[in-house]
Amino acid sequence: MSTSYAPPVQRLVAELSKLPGVGNRTAQRLAFHILRASAEDAASLAEAIREVKEKIGLCELCFNLTDEARCRICQDPRREQELICVVEEPSDVIPMERTHEYHGVYHVLGGALSPIDGIDPDDLKIAELLARVVSAQLSVREVVLATNPTTTGEATALHIAEELRGRAPDVKVTRLASGLPVGSDLEYADEVTLGKAFAGRRAV
Amino acid sequence: MSTSYAPPVQRLVAELSKLPGVGNRTAQRLAFHILRASAEDAASLAEAIREVKEKIGLCELCFNLTDEARCRICQDPRREQELICVVEEPSDVIPMERTHEYHGVYHVLGGALSPIDGIDPDDLKIAELLARVVSAQLSVREVVLATNPTTTGEATALHIAEELRGRAPDVKVTRLASGLPVGSDLEYADEVTLGKAFAGRRAV
């Protein structure tokens, strides 16, 4: 932003630039939109940002985002408490919910193991997951490891699978299938995905 | 956003979705970023939004954005007051400034003439421009019409040029050149741009 702009505008552009995927040009465009918007709209946005930081915390059971002690999914009596889907981030719950195929509960780790970034099992909600499964062992039927199909996500899934095998051998531990995305083209599939798709091939 | 999310999160996503170029997915991504950010960073963003609406108004002379009575450009004694560049929006000042070729002052119209959208001369700062040029007629040397090279921008430029010819015949009125963008390829130029580039050809 040109230094000929007033400090409050420069400040807003700087703050907006910190958002993911928002470069300087986009931040300027957003700032000019906010400047053109009504005072009420701008106040609503500012208030929504404040409110979300003030009211939203982590569910005491699954560590998903919530504005109460327990999240809506954990509180929902229609959800199967015997089925736990383990994901890395609260944002990973959304795509799972969008499938409308999953009716169990969640456990949000808060990230994935990555020794290179200094993220050890203690930095994630792994102990809490083990405690949750062990303490309720009679009722937990299956743990679905839905960490990302990345190096760190796979390492996290493997680590949790091993821990669970040791402490709760009766609980079934599964992993989301890797393979070709629906609607994709073999021609453009990367070799790792195609390899996984081949290894995981099923009888028709 | 899944209804399983807490209302403050849904509210933030809804508010962020109102920003230009921000769809539901992007709004979710931004919301999760804000949730992960430190309380200070989120508060800074909210505060920057509030502050910009509270402190930023229009320059009394050129109608550019400012946090004082007159904008920094109008206040700058090094800028040539005899040269006025007329633009549609405050955001159009930035690209002009970025050229480092322009050392005059600005006049921000606040839009372009568009009868179909009900935007008449009275809705823009055209009378203010005329008054500014006429009252200072002896000192204003040139008015550069830098409205966008669009139908509405051209109509606005024509209207202002006519008004100026009638009231301040001694003031030179110019328009930014239309033509091929630097670094572009003739093959991909649209016919209107190429036609303008041909019409405006210059001796080498």
Short mmCIF file of all heavy atoms in Angstrom, two decimals, chain A residues 57-113:
data_model
loop_
_atom_site.label_atom_id
_atom_site.label_comp_id
_atom_site.label_asym_id
_atom_site.label_seq_id
_atom_site.Cartn_x
_atom_site.Cartn_y
_atom_site.Cartn_z
N GLY A 57 -14.23 -22.56 22.47
CA GLY A 57 -13.16 -23.32 23.09
C GLY A 57 -13.19 -24.73 22.53
O GLY A 57 -13.84 -24.99 21.52
N LEU A 58 -12.49 -25.64 23.21
CA LEU A 58 -12.46 -27.02 22.74
C LEU A 58 -13.37 -27.89 23.59
O LEU A 58 -13.44 -27.73 24.81
CB LEU A 58 -11.03 -27.56 22.79
CG LEU A 58 -10.02 -26.80 21.92
CD1 LEU A 58 -8.64 -27.45 22.04
CD2 LEU A 58 -10.45 -26.75 20.47
N CYS A 59 -14.06 -28.82 22.96
CA CYS A 59 -14.92 -29.78 23.64
C CYS A 59 -14.07 -30.59 24.62
O CYS A 59 -12.99 -31.05 24.28
CB CYS A 59 -15.56 -30.70 22.59
SG CYS A 59 -16.43 -32.11 23.28
N GLU A 60 -14.56 -30.75 25.84
CA GLU A 60 -13.77 -31.44 26.87
C GLU A 60 -13.59 -32.93 26.55
O GLU A 60 -12.70 -33.57 27.08
CB GLU A 60 -14.43 -31.27 28.23
CG GLU A 60 -15.84 -31.85 28.26
CD GLU A 60 -16.55 -31.68 29.61
OE1 GLU A 60 -16.09 -30.87 30.43
OE2 GLU A 60 -17.54 -32.38 29.82
N LEU A 61 -14.44 -33.45 25.67
CA LEU A 61 -14.36 -34.87 25.35
C LEU A 61 -13.57 -35.11 24.06
O LEU A 61 -12.64 -35.91 24.02
CB LEU A 61 -15.78 -35.43 25.20
CG LEU A 61 -15.91 -36.95 25.18
CD1 LEU A 61 -15.37 -37.56 26.46
CD2 LEU A 61 -17.37 -37.36 24.98
N CYS A 62 -13.93 -34.41 22.99
CA CYS A 62 -13.35 -34.73 21.68
C CYS A 62 -12.42 -33.64 21.14
O CYS A 62 -11.79 -33.83 20.11
CB CYS A 62 -14.47 -35.02 20.67
SG CYS A 62 -15.26 -33.53 20.03
N PHE A 63 -12.36 -32.48 21.80
CA PHE A 63 -11.48 -31.37 21.41
C PHE A 63 -11.85 -30.72 20.08
O PHE A 63 -11.03 -30.06 19.46
CB PHE A 63 -10.00 -31.79 21.44
CG PHE A 63 -9.62 -32.34 22.78
CD1 PHE A 63 -9.59 -33.72 23.01
CD2 PHE A 63 -9.37 -31.49 23.84
CE1 PHE A 63 -9.29 -34.22 24.26
CE2 PHE A 63 -9.06 -31.98 25.10
CZ PHE A 63 -9.02 -33.36 25.31
N ASN A 64 -13.08 -30.94 19.66
CA ASN A 64 -13.63 -30.19 18.54
C ASN A 64 -13.98 -28.79 19.07
O ASN A 64 -14.01 -28.57 20.28
CB ASN A 64 -14.88 -30.91 18.03
CG ASN A 64 -15.37 -30.35 16.70
OD1 ASN A 64 -14.76 -29.45 16.13
ND2 ASN A 64 -16.45 -30.90 16.21
N LEU A 65 -14.25 -27.85 18.16
CA LEU A 65 -14.62 -26.51 18.59
C LEU A 65 -16.03 -26.51 19.15
O LEU A 65 -16.92 -27.19 18.65
CB LEU A 65 -14.57 -25.54 17.41
CG LEU A 65 -13.21 -25.42 16.72
CD1 LEU A 65 -13.35 -24.63 15.44
CD2 LEU A 65 -12.20 -24.77 17.65
N THR A 66 -16.24 -25.72 20.20
CA THR A 66 -17.57 -25.64 20.80
C THR A 66 -17.70 -24.36 21.61
O THR A 66 -16.70 -23.79 22.03
CB THR A 66 -17.83 -26.86 21.71
OG1 THR A 66 -19.11 -26.70 22.31
CG2 THR A 66 -16.78 -26.97 22.81
N ASP A 67 -18.93 -23.91 21.81
CA ASP A 67 -19.15 -22.78 22.70
C ASP A 67 -19.77 -23.25 24.01
O ASP A 67 -20.23 -22.46 24.82
CB ASP A 67 -20.03 -21.70 22.03
CG ASP A 67 -21.38 -22.23 21.58
OD1 ASP A 67 -21.55 -23.47 21.55
OD2 ASP A 67 -22.26 -21.41 21.26
N GLU A 68 -19.78 -24.58 24.20
CA GLU A 68 -20.25 -25.13 25.48
C GLU A 68 -19.15 -26.07 26.00
O GLU A 68 -18.09 -26.18 25.39
CB GLU A 68 -21.55 -25.91 25.25
CG GLU A 68 -22.70 -25.00 24.82
CD GLU A 68 -23.92 -25.79 24.38
OE1 GLU A 68 -24.75 -26.13 25.23
OE2 GLU A 68 -24.02 -26.08 23.18
N ALA A 69 -19.40 -26.76 27.10
CA ALA A 69 -18.39 -27.69 27.63
C ALA A 69 -18.18 -28.84 26.65
O ALA A 69 -17.05 -29.25 26.38
CB ALA A 69 -18.82 -28.21 28.99
N ARG A 70 -19.28 -29.36 26.10
CA ARG A 70 -19.18 -30.42 25.11
C ARG A 70 -19.75 -29.94 23.78
O ARG A 70 -20.73 -29.19 23.76
CB ARG A 70 -19.96 -31.65 25.57
CG ARG A 70 -19.29 -32.28 26.76
CD ARG A 70 -19.58 -33.75 26.84
NE ARG A 70 -18.79 -34.30 27.94
CZ ARG A 70 -18.81 -35.57 28.30
NH1 ARG A 70 -19.60 -36.43 27.68
NH2 ARG A 70 -18.04 -36.00 29.29
N CYS A 71 -19.17 -30.42 22.68
CA CYS A 71 -19.63 -29.98 21.37
C CYS A 71 -20.98 -30.60 21.03
O CYS A 71 -21.42 -31.54 21.68
CB CYS A 71 -18.61 -30.31 20.30
SG CYS A 71 -18.59 -32.05 19.84
N ARG A 72 -21.62 -30.08 19.99
CA ARG A 72 -22.93 -30.55 19.62
C ARG A 72 -22.95 -32.02 19.21
O ARG A 72 -23.93 -32.70 19.41
CB ARG A 72 -23.43 -29.74 18.41
CG ARG A 72 -23.98 -28.42 18.85
CD ARG A 72 -23.70 -27.33 17.88
NE ARG A 72 -24.17 -26.12 18.51
CZ ARG A 72 -25.36 -25.57 18.25
NH1 ARG A 72 -26.15 -26.08 17.35
NH2 ARG A 72 -25.75 -24.51 18.91
N ILE A 73 -21.86 -32.46 18.61
CA ILE A 73 -21.82 -33.85 18.16
C ILE A 73 -21.75 -34.79 19.37
O ILE A 73 -22.48 -35.77 19.46
CB ILE A 73 -20.64 -34.07 17.18
CG1 ILE A 73 -20.87 -33.23 15.92
CG2 ILE A 73 -20.49 -35.55 16.84
CD1 ILE A 73 -19.73 -33.25 14.91
N CYS A 74 -20.88 -34.45 20.33
CA CYS A 74 -20.77 -35.28 21.53
C CYS A 74 -22.08 -35.28 22.33
O CYS A 74 -22.42 -36.26 22.99
CB CYS A 74 -19.63 -34.80 22.43
SG CYS A 74 -18.00 -35.26 21.81
N GLN A 75 -22.81 -34.16 22.25
CA GLN A 75 -24.06 -34.06 23.01
C GLN A 75 -25.24 -34.74 22.32
O GLN A 75 -26.28 -34.96 22.94
CB GLN A 75 -24.43 -32.58 23.17
CG GLN A 75 -23.69 -31.86 24.28
CD GLN A 75 -24.24 -30.45 24.46
OE1 GLN A 75 -25.44 -30.26 24.59
NE2 GLN A 75 -23.35 -29.47 24.44
N ASP A 76 -25.07 -35.03 21.02
CA ASP A 76 -26.18 -35.54 20.23
C ASP A 76 -26.46 -37.01 20.54
O ASP A 76 -25.60 -37.87 20.28
CB ASP A 76 -25.83 -35.36 18.74
CG ASP A 76 -27.01 -35.66 17.83
OD1 ASP A 76 -27.96 -36.33 18.28
OD2 ASP A 76 -26.96 -35.24 16.67
N PRO A 77 -27.61 -37.34 21.12
CA PRO A 77 -27.88 -38.74 21.52
C PRO A 77 -28.01 -39.67 20.31
O PRO A 77 -27.90 -40.89 20.46
CB PRO A 77 -29.20 -38.64 22.28
CG PRO A 77 -29.84 -37.39 21.80
CD PRO A 77 -28.74 -36.45 21.42
N ARG A 78 -28.21 -39.12 19.12
CA ARG A 78 -28.35 -39.97 17.93
C ARG A 78 -26.99 -40.43 17.39
O ARG A 78 -26.93 -41.29 16.52
CB ARG A 78 -29.10 -39.22 16.83
CG ARG A 78 -30.58 -38.99 17.14
CD ARG A 78 -31.15 -37.93 16.23
NE ARG A 78 -30.33 -36.70 16.31
CZ ARG A 78 -30.58 -35.59 15.64
NH1 ARG A 78 -31.59 -35.54 14.79
NH2 ARG A 78 -29.82 -34.53 15.79
N ARG A 79 -25.89 -39.81 17.85
CA ARG A 79 -24.57 -40.21 17.35
C ARG A 79 -24.10 -41.44 18.11
O ARG A 79 -24.23 -41.52 19.33
CB ARG A 79 -23.55 -39.07 17.55
CG ARG A 79 -23.98 -37.73 17.00
CD ARG A 79 -24.07 -37.67 15.51
NE ARG A 79 -22.82 -37.88 14.83
CZ ARG A 79 -22.36 -37.11 13.84
NH1 ARG A 79 -23.04 -36.04 13.46
NH2 ARG A 79 -21.25 -37.40 13.23
N GLU A 80 -23.50 -42.40 17.38
CA GLU A 80 -22.98 -43.62 18.00
C GLU A 80 -21.70 -43.31 18.77
O GLU A 80 -20.68 -42.99 18.17
CB GLU A 80 -22.64 -44.66 16.94
CG GLU A 80 -23.82 -45.13 16.12
CD GLU A 80 -23.35 -46.05 14.99
OE1 GLU A 80 -22.49 -46.90 15.26
OE2 GLU A 80 -23.83 -45.88 13.86
N GLN A 81 -21.76 -43.44 20.08
CA GLN A 81 -20.58 -43.17 20.91
C GLN A 81 -19.55 -44.29 20.80
O GLN A 81 -18.41 -44.15 21.25
CB GLN A 81 -21.00 -42.99 22.38
CG GLN A 81 -22.06 -41.91 22.62
CD GLN A 81 -21.52 -40.49 22.51
OE1 GLN A 81 -20.35 -40.23 22.78
NE2 GLN A 81 -22.38 -39.57 22.09
N GLU A 82 -19.94 -45.43 20.21
CA GLU A 82 -19.03 -46.58 20.10
C GLU A 82 -18.10 -46.48 18.91
O GLU A 82 -17.23 -47.32 18.70
CB GLU A 82 -19.82 -47.89 19.96
CG GLU A 82 -20.98 -48.04 20.91
CD GLU A 82 -22.22 -47.36 20.36
OE1 GLU A 82 -22.72 -47.78 19.30
OE2 GLU A 82 -22.70 -46.39 20.98
N LEU A 83 -18.31 -45.44 18.08
CA LEU A 83 -17.52 -45.28 16.88
C LEU A 83 -16.83 -43.92 16.96
O LEU A 83 -17.48 -42.88 17.03
CB LEU A 83 -18.49 -45.31 15.68
CG LEU A 83 -17.93 -45.29 14.27
CD1 LEU A 83 -16.95 -46.43 14.04
CD2 LEU A 83 -19.09 -45.39 13.26
N ILE A 84 -15.48 -43.94 16.99
CA ILE A 84 -14.73 -42.68 17.11
C ILE A 84 -13.89 -42.44 15.85
O ILE A 84 -13.10 -43.30 15.46
CB ILE A 84 -13.80 -42.69 18.35
CG1 ILE A 84 -14.62 -42.88 19.63
CG2 ILE A 84 -12.99 -41.40 18.43
CD1 ILE A 84 -13.76 -42.94 20.89
N CYS A 85 -14.09 -41.30 15.25
CA CYS A 85 -13.30 -40.93 14.07
C CYS A 85 -12.24 -39.93 14.51
O CYS A 85 -12.55 -38.87 15.04
CB CYS A 85 -14.22 -40.30 13.03
SG CYS A 85 -13.35 -39.72 11.57
N VAL A 86 -10.96 -40.29 14.29
CA VAL A 86 -9.85 -39.45 14.73
C VAL A 86 -9.38 -38.57 13.58
O VAL A 86 -8.97 -39.08 12.54
CB VAL A 86 -8.69 -40.34 15.24
CG1 VAL A 86 -7.50 -39.47 15.67
CG2 VAL A 86 -9.16 -41.21 16.39
N VAL A 87 -9.44 -37.25 13.77
CA VAL A 87 -9.00 -36.33 12.72
C VAL A 87 -7.93 -35.40 13.28
O VAL A 87 -7.75 -35.29 14.49
CB VAL A 87 -10.18 -35.49 12.16
CG1 VAL A 87 -11.17 -36.38 11.42
CG2 VAL A 87 -10.87 -34.70 13.26
N GLU A 88 -7.21 -34.73 12.36
CA GLU A 88 -6.14 -33.84 12.80
C GLU A 88 -6.67 -32.52 13.35
O GLU A 88 -6.27 -32.08 14.42
CB GLU A 88 -5.17 -33.56 11.63
CG GLU A 88 -4.41 -34.80 11.19
CD GLU A 88 -3.44 -34.52 10.04
OE1 GLU A 88 -3.05 -33.35 9.84
OE2 GLU A 88 -3.06 -35.48 9.36
N GLU A 89 -7.56 -31.87 12.58
CA GLU A 89 -7.98 -30.52 12.93
C GLU A 89 -9.51 -30.42 13.02
O GLU A 89 -10.22 -31.19 12.38
CB GLU A 89 -7.52 -29.54 11.84
CG GLU A 89 -6.02 -29.46 11.65
CD GLU A 89 -5.32 -28.72 12.78
OE1 GLU A 89 -6.02 -28.13 13.64
OE2 GLU A 89 -4.09 -28.75 12.82
N PRO A 90 -10.01 -29.42 13.75
CA PRO A 90 -11.46 -29.22 13.80
C PRO A 90 -12.05 -29.05 12.39
O PRO A 90 -13.17 -29.48 12.11
CB PRO A 90 -11.63 -27.92 14.60
CG PRO A 90 -10.42 -27.86 15.46
CD PRO A 90 -9.31 -28.48 14.65
N SER A 91 -11.27 -28.44 11.49
CA SER A 91 -11.78 -28.22 10.12
C SER A 91 -11.97 -29.54 9.36
O SER A 91 -12.68 -29.56 8.36
CB SER A 91 -10.85 -27.30 9.35
OG SER A 91 -9.51 -27.74 9.47
N ASP A 92 -11.32 -30.62 9.83
CA ASP A 92 -11.48 -31.91 9.16
C ASP A 92 -12.82 -32.57 9.49
O ASP A 92 -13.22 -33.54 8.83
CB ASP A 92 -10.34 -32.87 9.55
CG ASP A 92 -8.99 -32.34 9.11
OD1 ASP A 92 -8.95 -31.62 8.09
OD2 ASP A 92 -7.99 -32.64 9.79
N VAL A 93 -13.49 -32.07 10.50
CA VAL A 93 -14.80 -32.63 10.86
C VAL A 93 -15.83 -32.29 9.78
O VAL A 93 -16.70 -33.10 9.46
CB VAL A 93 -15.25 -32.09 12.25
CG1 VAL A 93 -16.70 -32.46 12.54
CG2 VAL A 93 -14.32 -32.63 13.35
N ILE A 94 -15.68 -31.09 9.22
CA ILE A 94 -16.66 -30.61 8.22
C ILE A 94 -16.78 -31.55 7.02
O ILE A 94 -17.89 -31.99 6.70
CB ILE A 94 -16.32 -29.18 7.74
CG1 ILE A 94 -16.36 -28.23 8.94
CG2 ILE A 94 -17.29 -28.72 6.67
CD1 ILE A 94 -15.82 -26.85 8.61
N PRO A 95 -15.68 -31.88 6.32
CA PRO A 95 -15.83 -32.77 5.16
C PRO A 95 -16.39 -34.14 5.55
O PRO A 95 -17.17 -34.72 4.79
CB PRO A 95 -14.41 -32.88 4.59
CG PRO A 95 -13.50 -32.31 5.62
CD PRO A 95 -14.30 -31.37 6.44
N MET A 96 -16.03 -34.65 6.72
CA MET A 96 -16.59 -35.93 7.17
C MET A 96 -18.10 -35.82 7.35
O MET A 96 -18.87 -36.68 6.91
CB MET A 96 -15.95 -36.37 8.50
CG MET A 96 -14.65 -37.13 8.39
SD MET A 96 -14.75 -38.65 7.39
CE MET A 96 -15.72 -39.71 8.47
N GLU A 97 -18.53 -34.72 7.98
CA GLU A 97 -19.97 -34.52 8.20
C GLU A 97 -20.71 -34.38 6.88
O GLU A 97 -21.85 -34.81 6.75
CB GLU A 97 -20.20 -33.26 9.05
CG GLU A 97 -19.82 -33.43 10.50
CD GLU A 97 -20.71 -34.44 11.21
OE1 GLU A 97 -21.86 -34.12 11.48
OE2 GLU A 97 -20.23 -35.57 11.45
N ARG A 98 -20.01 -33.77 5.91
CA ARG A 98 -20.63 -33.51 4.62
C ARG A 98 -20.97 -34.79 3.86
O ARG A 98 -21.82 -34.78 2.97
CB ARG A 98 -19.69 -32.63 3.79
CG ARG A 98 -20.40 -31.51 3.08
CD ARG A 98 -19.42 -30.75 2.20
NE ARG A 98 -18.82 -29.60 2.86
CZ ARG A 98 -17.51 -29.32 2.84
NH1 ARG A 98 -16.67 -30.09 2.20
NH2 ARG A 98 -17.07 -28.26 3.47
N THR A 99 -20.28 -35.87 4.18
CA THR A 99 -20.56 -37.14 3.50
C THR A 99 -21.93 -37.69 3.89
O THR A 99 -22.52 -38.48 3.17
CB THR A 99 -19.52 -38.22 3.86
OG1 THR A 99 -19.63 -38.52 5.26
CG2 THR A 99 -18.11 -37.77 3.57
N HIS A 100 -22.43 -37.30 5.07
CA HIS A 100 -23.68 -37.82 5.63
C HIS A 100 -23.63 -39.34 5.80
O HIS A 100 -24.66 -40.00 5.88
CB HIS A 100 -24.89 -37.44 4.77
CG HIS A 100 -25.10 -35.96 4.70
ND1 HIS A 100 -25.48 -35.21 5.78
CD2 HIS A 100 -24.96 -35.09 3.68
CE1 HIS A 100 -25.56 -33.93 5.44
NE2 HIS A 100 -25.24 -33.83 4.18
N GLU A 101 -22.40 -39.89 5.82
CA GLU A 101 -22.23 -41.34 5.92
C GLU A 101 -21.78 -41.71 7.32
O GLU A 101 -21.78 -42.88 7.69
CB GLU A 101 -21.14 -41.82 4.95
CG GLU A 101 -21.41 -41.50 3.50
CD GLU A 101 -21.91 -42.71 2.75
OE1 GLU A 101 -21.52 -43.82 3.11
OE2 GLU A 101 -22.70 -42.52 1.80
N TYR A 102 -21.32 -40.71 8.05
CA TYR A 102 -20.71 -41.00 9.34
C TYR A 102 -21.63 -40.56 10.47
O TYR A 102 -22.05 -39.40 10.52
CB TYR A 102 -19.37 -40.28 9.45
CG TYR A 102 -18.66 -40.61 10.73
CD1 TYR A 102 -18.13 -41.88 10.94
CD2 TYR A 102 -18.55 -39.66 11.75
CE1 TYR A 102 -17.49 -42.20 12.13
CE2 TYR A 102 -17.91 -39.98 12.94
CZ TYR A 102 -17.39 -41.25 13.13
OH TYR A 102 -16.78 -41.57 14.30
N HIS A 103 -21.93 -41.49 11.37
CA HIS A 103 -22.85 -41.14 12.46
C HIS A 103 -22.24 -41.40 13.83
O HIS A 103 -22.95 -41.49 14.83
CB HIS A 103 -24.16 -41.93 12.30
CG HIS A 103 -24.77 -41.71 10.95
ND1 HIS A 103 -25.33 -40.51 10.59
CD2 HIS A 103 -24.85 -42.51 9.86
CE1 HIS A 103 -25.74 -40.59 9.33
NE2 HIS A 103 -25.46 -41.79 8.86
N GLY A 104 -20.91 -41.54 13.87
CA GLY A 104 -20.23 -41.72 15.14
C GLY A 104 -19.81 -40.38 15.73
O GLY A 104 -20.36 -39.35 15.36
N VAL A 105 -18.85 -40.41 16.64
CA VAL A 105 -18.33 -39.19 17.23
C VAL A 105 -16.89 -38.97 16.75
O VAL A 105 -16.37 -39.78 15.97
CB VAL A 105 -18.41 -39.24 18.78
CG1 VAL A 105 -19.86 -39.19 19.23
CG2 VAL A 105 -17.70 -40.47 19.32
N TYR A 106 -16.29 -37.88 17.20
CA TYR A 106 -14.95 -37.52 16.73
C TYR A 106 -13.94 -37.45 17.86
O TYR A 106 -14.30 -37.39 19.03
CB TYR A 106 -14.98 -36.17 16.02
CG TYR A 106 -15.74 -36.20 14.72
CD1 TYR A 106 -17.10 -35.93 14.68
CD2 TYR A 106 -15.09 -36.52 13.54
CE1 TYR A 106 -17.80 -35.97 13.50
CE2 TYR A 106 -15.79 -36.56 12.34
CZ TYR A 106 -17.14 -36.29 12.33
OH TYR A 106 -17.83 -36.35 11.15
N HIS A 107 -12.67 -37.42 17.46
CA HIS A 107 -11.60 -37.04 18.39
C HIS A 107 -10.62 -36.20 17.58
O HIS A 107 -10.03 -36.69 16.61
CB HIS A 107 -10.91 -38.28 18.98
CG HIS A 107 -9.99 -37.92 20.11
ND1 HIS A 107 -10.42 -37.87 21.42
CD2 HIS A 107 -8.70 -37.55 20.12
CE1 HIS A 107 -9.41 -37.49 22.19
NE2 HIS A 107 -8.35 -37.29 21.42
N VAL A 108 -10.48 -34.95 17.96
CA VAL A 108 -9.63 -34.02 17.21
C VAL A 108 -8.25 -33.94 17.88
O VAL A 108 -8.14 -33.51 19.03
CB VAL A 108 -10.28 -32.63 17.13
CG1 VAL A 108 -9.40 -31.68 16.33
CG2 VAL A 108 -11.68 -32.71 16.54
N LEU A 109 -7.21 -34.34 17.14
CA LEU A 109 -5.87 -34.41 17.71
C LEU A 109 -5.22 -33.05 17.89
O LEU A 109 -4.38 -32.86 18.77
CB LEU A 109 -4.98 -35.26 16.81
CG LEU A 109 -5.37 -36.74 16.68
CD1 LEU A 109 -4.51 -37.41 15.60
CD2 LEU A 109 -5.20 -37.46 18.02
N GLY A 110 -5.59 -32.11 17.04
CA GLY A 110 -4.95 -30.79 17.11
C GLY A 110 -3.68 -30.74 16.28
O GLY A 110 -2.81 -29.89 16.52
N GLY A 111 -3.54 -31.64 15.29
CA GLY A 111 -2.36 -31.64 14.44
C GLY A 111 -1.92 -33.06 14.10
O GLY A 111 -2.69 -34.02 14.29
N ALA A 112 -0.71 -33.19 13.59
CA ALA A 112 -0.16 -34.50 13.24
C ALA A 112 1.28 -34.56 13.74
O ALA A 112 1.93 -33.52 13.88
CB ALA A 112 -0.21 -34.70 11.73
N LEU A 113 1.74 -35.78 14.01
CA LEU A 113 3.11 -35.95 14.48
C LEU A 113 4.09 -35.47 13.41
O LEU A 113 3.96 -35.83 12.24
CB LEU A 113 3.39 -37.43 14.76
CG LEU A 113 2.65 -38.04 15.95
CD1 LEU A 113 2.99 -39.52 16.06
CD2 LEU A 113 3.04 -37.31 17.23
#
